[in-house]
Amino acid sequence: MPAHAVMSVLALAICAQLAVASQPVMPVLGFPDETLDDTSAYRGYQTRFYRDAARNTLQVYIDRRSARVVHLMADADNASIGFTARDAAGRTASLDWTAAAATIARHTRTRQFSHQLVAHTATVHLGWFLLGSMRVERDFQYFEKAKTSFAAAPYAIPDVDRLLVSLEALPPTVRARHLRRLNAPTMAVLRSRMYPHPTTQRVGTAWVTRVRQVTLDGRDTLTLEVRADARTVDATQSGDSLTLHARSGDVVTFDVQIGTTAKTLTPLTRQQIFTPQFLAFLDSTRARGAAVPASDTAAVRARRMERQVSGVELLVSREKLMAGLPTYATYFGRDMLMTALMMRPIWQHETLEAVIATALRKLGTGGDISHEEALGDQAVRESAAEYADLVARYRERAGAGDRPGADSLLARAETVLRDLRKVRENYHMIDDEYQFAIVVARWITDPSVPANAKRAFLQSAADGGGTRADRLLRELSLVTRLTAPYVASPETVNLIAFTPREPSGWASSSWRDSGAGYANGRYAMDINTIWVPHALESVGQILGAMRELGVPTTEATRRDSALARYVRDPATLQQAITVWRGATRHFLVTMSPEQVRAATLARLAAMPEDERAWWQSRASTPAALTDTLTFLAVALDATGAPIGVANTDPATQLFLGDAEGSSGPPTPENKAAVLRTVRLFSREYPAGLFVDRIGPVVANDAYATPAVWDAFVKDPYHGPRVVWGREANLFLLGVAGHLSRAQGAGASADTAYVAELRAALEKIRTAVEQSGFHTELWSYGFDRGQLGAMRYGSGADIQLWSTTDLAVQYVLSRTTR
């Protein structure tokens, strides 16, 4: 057979493999589920999750609050396709799916997904078509652009606008060269890629509106097609919006098809993620649920666990673990590391190794752990901003006659265009540096992981040169360098601090990363009293394990650093750990009964009337206001004074265990620290954190100033009106661990201590289950004088660290039986 004929056969074979005929597909999950969720708490929001033709996750949601329909493609680009639907009066159109099934297909590079919607109105206007990064969609909704007129100017991305302006300012020959980097022959072609351009025409018996969005570099394409039966529906296009009008009746049915050419991920199955022991537990839970009525607690728990396992499968791929859907379908270092710590009892060790490998692959040159990746069009936004800044500096240098400097900047700008959509990493958070060391220590000291597997993993080549062990030592060197000043002089000014935030205050660079999260504190309690001491302990464990495995640590001793000193003299590391354990004293707040009462009454007086009336009716009873209170402040202010916000962060300390060791019966000091946290979680709000049928609120600002109260009212994300699923799970896992340790003492066990731990565990567990939410976060509101749980507006439907409820169920089944 001639060579060209062989190539043709091969090409046909490859195309056959790449092509997937249209086929129906049912949703993997849907929210809300009336058998598990309070549907009213979702307030008109509904969503479904599917697998596309490459088995990548695809989510569709209809949000009646914003009139928005959004398709998220949780692939290697994190792209989305959305539009707004309004009725003839300009109000939110009532939309529903006509059926559960959708259709998927694949044609060479293009993956397609189709479903059918029905609008319960005789006229539906579709507009604000937005095809691009899910991050752009998130910002679009955050700034409420979806509520503006369809006739308004197209939604612009300022950084991309700046890129175009910068290109136009370049000399013609340079501009032409830079345009070639973007696969654009002219500026006009490049501008045509800025916005989607709908076109509507009649094709046979159907009206078809096609919307096409080419990426700025011309390499990929997103498409949206709206199709309606011309025999029953009239269609007209005005500007960039579409109107569908029923010829008779008061409903409009239309098909939606989306397409993408983006790269795909490699999803993993539950058998690849979870241990056989956990999967057996899941099977037994399912069997118990099937043997009782559907409303029985065991049946509900079984369905919820199955939903969470499916959620993990939707988030986990060979390449990375996504943080959450729909808003955070990307790598987030903190979310991945926290989940890895909590899921250790039920994950295969290979899953943990994938987590460590991902973090090491994304490691910064200084040893920083990447907090977040920017993909696809989000990478374009960030690259565009960098390009515009470089061109501005180039023009300044050129104007000043500095030709070498100008040419260097211009070359860098061209490189940015060449790598326009290369994944970009964000390193501005500081808690993940310490969390990573703890994850590695838990893995490397795990006796169930074969030594040869550990050795092979560490000695494997890392991207960019060297081995994974070399990269690990670089990260540990950063941890020990950052913590050395406090070891040398344990004063508040030497604690790990946040950087200044413009125009004033301090940037929240740990997990409470909202504007009000740390109450404008400079020194976060979670970093300084929990993460740092445990990270330094982990450094010692990692170095010891590496020596036992025969993995060289010489890279750490090549320069005079804190890590080099610790390698040469492990006793100095123990001294450092001891010093950092003492950092708790800076954050300790103790309130007398009179102070507790005065503070909570003042806070209640500042609340809206319905909220105040509710809490006054609940808090008039005794212990909530008539006992002392001791807690660790969420942060210190710039002067080193504690900011009086009680909070859930000590649950992390409960979970990680005692800094002094975790074997043998608990000491009196350890029990006192444990009970301090347990009692704060169990104590009724507004004195403590507990809200019946809701769970433990993430913060209580009653002991802070009115300025802090106002900040949390304006920015409630980490405030007294919100429960975070990860914090509830950390508490439950932590208490379960301390229960096991206390019960392990046998006859000498402190029965009163054990009873208090058991009571707190059941109290929190019951309240969380009664809330009806096992998600990233949820809130509560007041309706006709009654308090009820509700979905938090920007919360994820599936959030990685909220699936740790699976570990809670597994661990508690062994602790409480």
Side-chain angles (χ1 to χ4, degrees):
M1 183 181 292
H4 71 274
V6 173
M7 294 301 294
S8 297
V9 171
L10 287 173
L12 288 171
I14 291 170
C15 288
Q17 290 176 347
L18 292 175
V20 175
S22 296
Q23 59 187 54
V25 60
M26 296 297 290
V28 177
L29 290 177
F31 291 80
D33 178 341
E34 62 182 13
T35 70
L36 292 173
D37 306 310
D38 176 3
T39 56
S40 65
Y42 281 74
R43 301 191 173 189
Y45 175 92
Q46 53 183 325
T47 186
R48 291 174 177 175
F49 296 85
Y50 296 86
R51 292 283 192 186
D52 70 12
R55 296 198 65 252
N56 279 208
T57 300
L58 194 149
Q59 179 180 4
V60 188
Y61 69 77
I62 301 171
D63 191 345
R64 290 179 180 167
R65 296 166 300 179
S66 63
R68 199 79 180 144
V69 178
V70 176
H71 308 76
L72 164 69
M73 289 148 285
D75 53 23
D77 264 14
N78 183 34
S80 65
I81 295 175
F83 58 85
T84 297
R86 296 174 182 158
D87 64 16
R91 298 183 298 259
T92 298
S94 176
L95 296 180
D96 282 306
W97 283 281
T98 60
T103 302
I104 58 173
R106 184 171 189 168
H107 306 285
T108 60
R109 288 185 62 213
T110 302
R111 306 189 317 278
Q112 294 177 332
F113 173 87
S114 307
H115 60 122
Q116 190 176 74
L117 296 174
V118 58
H120 300 287
T121 176
T123 300
V124 60
H125 303 292
L126 306 181
W128 281 124
F129 298 107
L130 194 61
L131 293 77
S133 169
M134 184 63 198
R135 289 281 298 275
V136 175
E137 176 70 39
R138 187 177 77 184
D139 292 348
F140 180 77
Q141 294 191 41
Y142 180 81
F143 293 110
E144 299 190 335
K145 294 294 185 180
K147 297 180 180 179
T148 59
S149 168
F150 288 163
Y155 181 63
I157 301 173
D159 291 328
V160 177
D161 284 344
R162 288 180 60 213
L163 180 146
L164 266 66
V165 171
S166 300
L167 269 171
E168 290 179 320
L170 293 173
T173 55
V174 176
R175 184 193 313 134
R177 189 172 72 244
H178 285 204
L179 283 171
R180 285 195 294 272
R181 289 290 188 185
L182 297 173
N183 302 298
T186 64
M187 287 296 299
V189 170
L190 191 62
R191 286 194 197 95
S192 72
R193 299 172 184 169
M194 291 283 288
Y195 310 109
H197 301 285
T199 60
T200 301
Q201 60 182 331
R202 181 161 177 164
V203 180
T205 60
W207 286 108
V208 180
T209 297
R210 293 189 175 94
V211 188
R212 185 168 179 265
Q213 177 75 65
V214 179
T215 57
L216 198 65
D217 60 3
R219 296 181 187 277
D220 281 300
T221 303
L222 293 169
T223 58
L224 167 67
E225 183 176 288
V226 177
R227 183 179 291 262
D229 189 335
R231 294 166 296 186
T232 58
V233 174
D234 289 324
T236 56
Q237 182 177 328
S238 175
D240 289 338
S241 63
L242 170 68
T243 298
L244 301 177
H245 179 73
R247 291 189 166 191
S248 62
D250 55 3
V251 298
V252 175
T253 301
F254 57 98
D255 295 313
V256 177
Q257 181 186 89
I258 62 168
T260 178
T261 60
K263 293 180 180 178
T264 60
L265 300 174
T266 312
L268 300 181
T269 66
R270 62 185 63 189
Q271 288 75 20
Q272 294 170 295
I273 300 167
F274 295 101
T275 64
Q277 293 82 1
F278 171 76
L279 293 175
F281 169 69
L282 181 66
D283 288 341
S284 65
T285 302
R286 190 184 299 114
R288 286 195 299 273
V292 296
S295 59
D296 188 272
T297 300
V300 172
R301 187 168 294 165
R303 291 197 301 275
R304 180 170 287 121
M305 286 183 64
E306 178 58 36
R307 178 164 79 175
Q308 289 171 333
V309 169
S310 296
V312 173
E313 290 180 297
L314 290 170
L315 292 171
V316 176
S317 68
R318 195 175 304 282
E319 292 80 7
K320 63 185 168 186
L321 282 68
M322 292 181 284
L325 302 169
T327 314
Y328 305 105
T330 58
Y331 159 97
F332 274 74
R334 173 193 303 130
D335 300 58
M336 180 182 72
L337 296 171
M338 286 297 301
T339 303
L341 283 170
M342 299 167 74
M343 294 290 241
R344 279 185 62 245
I346 64 174
W347 270 3
Q348 303 264 21
H349 72 82
E350 290 88 352
T351 310
L352 203 61
E353 287 159 11
V355 165
I356 297 169
T358 300
L360 289 175
R361 185 178 70 249
K362 294 172 171 287
L363 200 70
T365 55
D368 309 73
I369 296 295
S370 170
H371 166 65
E372 180 183 3
E373 64 184 3
L375 304 172
D377 281 353
Q378 178 60 24
V380 169
R381 291 171 77 177
E382 296 183 13
S383 296
E386 184 181 0
Y387 177 84
D389 290 342
L390 287 168
V391 170
R393 290 168 59 195
Y394 152 77
R395 296 180 67 196
E396 288 176 6
R397 293 283 183 90
D402 179 7
R403 178 51 56 188
D407 289 345
S408 174
L409 289 166
L410 199 58
R412 287 171 57 190
E414 187 172 354
T415 300
V416 170
L417 290 186
R418 182 196 68 193
D419 299 331
L420 190 71
R421 288 203 295 155
K422 181 180 179 180
V423 177
R424 301 170 71 92
E425 308 294 344
N426 178 317
Y427 298 100
H428 71 274
M429 290 291 167
I430 59 179
D431 54 338
D432 38 24
E433 266 73 73
Y434 308 102
Q435 293 161 356
F436 178 72
I438 299 168
V439 170
V440 175
R442 301 287 168 111
W443 165 76
I444 203 170
T445 60
D446 186 346
S448 70
V449 182
N452 59 351
K454 298 173 185 176
R455 192 178 300 110
F457 177 85
L458 291 170
Q459 294 181 333
S460 295
D463 294 344
T467 65
R468 286 173 175 157
D470 296 334
R471 291 202 163 207
L472 171 59
L473 291 169
R474 188 197 308 169
E475 201 278 337
L476 299 185
S477 181
L478 175 65
V479 168
T480 54
R481 177 173 60 81
L482 292 174
T483 55
Y486 188 80
V487 175
S489 179
E491 304 173 37
T492 54
V493 293
N494 290 323
L495 291 167
I496 305 298
F498 291 150
T499 57
R501 176 178 59 198
E502 296 295 338
S504 63
W506 307 96
S508 298
S509 303
S510 189
W511 89 272
R512 295 174 182 264
D513 53 359
S514 58
Y518 287 92
N520 199 30
R522 184 179 185 188
Y523 307 98
M525 179 270 290
D526 63 323
I527 293 174
N528 288 285
T529 72
I530 302 171
W531 292 119
V532 168
H534 281 280
L536 290 174
E537 270 197 330
S538 298
V539 169
Q541 293 166 355
I542 293 167
L543 293 175
M546 290 177 73
R547 283 193 294 269
E548 290 180 11
L549 292 168
V551 177
T553 59
T554 51
E555 182 68 25
T557 58
R558 288 183 179 174
R559 56 185 69 87
D560 185 20
S561 64
L563 182 60
R565 291 194 298 275
Y566 296 156
V567 171
R568 291 192 295 266
D569 183 5
T572 60
L573 176 56
Q574 290 304 313
Q575 293 167 6
I577 294 168
T578 300
V579 170
W580 270 101
R581 286 174 184 161
T584 299
R585 71 184 188 278
H586 303 299
F587 297 84
L588 206 58
V589 175
T590 299
M591 312 279 294
S592 68
E594 294 76 21
Q595 290 173 316
V596 170
R597 183 174 181 80
T600 52
L601 290 178
R603 184 68 188 93
L604 288 172
M607 291 179 181
E609 184 177 352
D610 58 343
E611 189 173 353
R612 180 172 64 251
W614 171 267
W615 294 121
Q616 284 176 334
S617 70
R618 307 282 294 182
S620 56
T621 51
L625 301 181
T626 58
D627 197 2
T628 57
L629 179 67
T630 301
F631 62 90
L632 295 175
V634 74
L636 308 180
D637 66 19
T639 70
I643 299 172
V645 176
N647 60 91
T648 55
D649 286 352
T652 303
Q653 176 64 27
L654 279 184
F655 167 71
L656 292 176
D658 314 320
E660 290 81 7
S662 58
S663 60
T667 64
E669 294 79 10
N670 169 254
K671 287 193 285 188
V674 169
L675 290 176
R676 180 180 66 214
T677 298
V678 165
R679 289 168 181 169
L680 176 65
F681 269 72
S682 301
R683 193 165 179 173
E684 303 279 344
Y685 184 83
L689 301 177
F690 181 78
V691 179
D692 189 34
R693 302 184 66 82
I694 304 295
V697 293
V698 74
N700 182 349
D701 59 9
Y703 311 107
T705 63
V708 173
W709 304 347
D710 292 342
F712 278 121
V713 169
K714 295 173 184 173
D715 188 357
Y717 197 51
H718 295 101
R721 291 289 291 268
V722 175
V723 177
W724 278 75
R726 87 159 213 173
E727 296 295 277
N729 289 346
L730 281 166
F731 178 84
L732 294 171
L733 288 170
V735 172
H738 286 281
L739 261 176
S740 294
R741 183 179 171 191
Q743 292 171 157
S748 62
D750 183 336
T751 55
Y753 175 68
V754 169
E756 187 166 355
L757 294 188
R758 281 185 175 277
L761 187 152
E762 287 305 318
K763 184 174 186 178
I764 300 301
R765 184 185 190 185
T766 300
V768 168
E769 291 195 347
Q770 289 175 336
S771 76
F773 288 92
H774 287 260
T775 53
E776 180 188 18
L777 69 165
W778 57 96
S779 185
Y780 60 86
F782 298 88
D783 183 21
R784 295 188 291 275
Q786 294 298 311
L787 179 148
M790 56 188 285
R791 184 180 186 272
Y792 190 84
S794 64
D797 298 306
I798 302 174
Q799 215 283 342
L800 186 63
W801 62 25
S802 296
T803 63
T804 56
D805 181 62
L806 294 167
V808 171
Q809 301 300 330
Y810 181 77
V811 169
L812 293 189
S813 72
R814 282 149 176 74
T815 303
T816 58
R817 60 187 178 189

